[in-house]
Amino acid sequence: MPRKAGRSPEETRRALLDAAATALRTRGISASLDDIAREAGVSKGGLLYHFPAKDALVRTLAQDILDTFRAEVQAALDPADTAPGRLTRAYVRASLDTSHDEVAVRENIALIAQLISFPEIGAMARADAERWDRELHDDGLPADVVTLVVAAADGASTAPLWGVGIDVEAARKLERQLLDLTRDH
């Protein structure tokens, strides 16, 4: 299938990542490159031009998810906040952001569950978690406060996986409580 006219290489690459996300979420690790190329509207050769192997595509998709969350945390940093715990507060705000579509959150969690079955992705996720752990623990708060606040934010952010839904009022209340725990240390 020829490349869609007018799509830039960056747009094609994004379409391939989005198609890989859909294919992996619905078919698991058995999703083929043909499935992904078809979903993206490109030839298999076009897919291979951007990603020489399925592993490279999966690795890039996983890194994209990790980078997106890191960018969301960076965007949640309050420029006026210079107190210890600044990064932890941004992490909480990004984790409990209720502006995301509930279905999209659930689909992203399902995709991550599929991706983690690739051993290399598990190693990437562990390295990213270790980086977050270092950065958050270097944020100037007591270690037990960071552990509690981050665990609560992480746990609450996965509620849509269970079909619970995003209760905006409850999420905002939890966010305020967690943010309060990060102040006055």
Side-chain angles (χ1 to χ4, degrees):
M1 177 179 304
R3 183 173 77 85
K4 291 193 177 179
R7 200 159 55 179
S8 71
E10 295 79 25
E11 291 168 329
T12 300
R13 191 172 168 84
R14 180 77 258 163
L16 287 164
L17 290 172
D18 293 344
T22 299
L24 289 168
R25 189 173 46 254
T26 58
R27 294 182 205 102
I29 62 172
S30 66
S32 70
L33 291 178
D34 288 324
D35 295 333
I36 295 166
R38 190 172 27 263
E39 178 82 26
V42 300
S43 67
K44 186 174 178 182
L47 183 154
L48 293 171
Y49 172 80
H50 290 279
F51 300 100
K54 185 176 177 182
D55 289 348
L57 176 59
V58 169
R59 191 174 39 257
T60 302
L61 177 59
Q63 190 63 57
D64 184 59
I65 292 168
L66 296 172
D67 292 346
T68 296
F69 180 67
R70 191 165 289 279
E72 289 169 357
V73 172
Q74 291 298 313
L77 285 168
D78 180 352
D81 183 358
T82 58
R86 177 177 187 249
L87 180 63
T88 304
R89 286 186 287 283
Y91 187 97
V92 168
R93 286 191 290 273
S95 295
L96 298 177
D97 182 357
T98 57
S99 69
H100 299 294
D101 173 15
E102 200 173 305
V103 173
V105 171
R106 203 171 13 260
E107 287 178 348
N108 198 44
I109 294 169
L111 173 59
I112 292 167
Q114 291 294 334
L115 288 172
I116 208 72
S117 66
F118 290 85
E120 184 179 352
I121 304 308
M124 281 176 65
R126 281 187 297 283
D128 188 68
E130 289 168 4
R131 179 178 169 194
W132 276 117
D133 190 54
R134 279 190 312 276
E135 291 174 6
L136 292 166
H137 281 87
D138 289 345
D139 196 28
L141 295 175
D144 59 334
V145 171
V146 172
T147 299
L148 174 67
V149 168
V150 169
D154 286 346
S157 70
T158 63
L161 177 62
W162 299 99
V164 173
I166 299 173
D167 180 334
V168 175
E169 188 176 321
R172 293 292 63 88
K173 181 179 179 184
L174 176 61
E175 180 181 315
R176 283 190 307 274
Q177 291 169 325
L178 293 175
L179 294 176
D180 286 347
L181 290 172
T182 68
R183 293 186 169 88
D184 301 324
H185 287 280

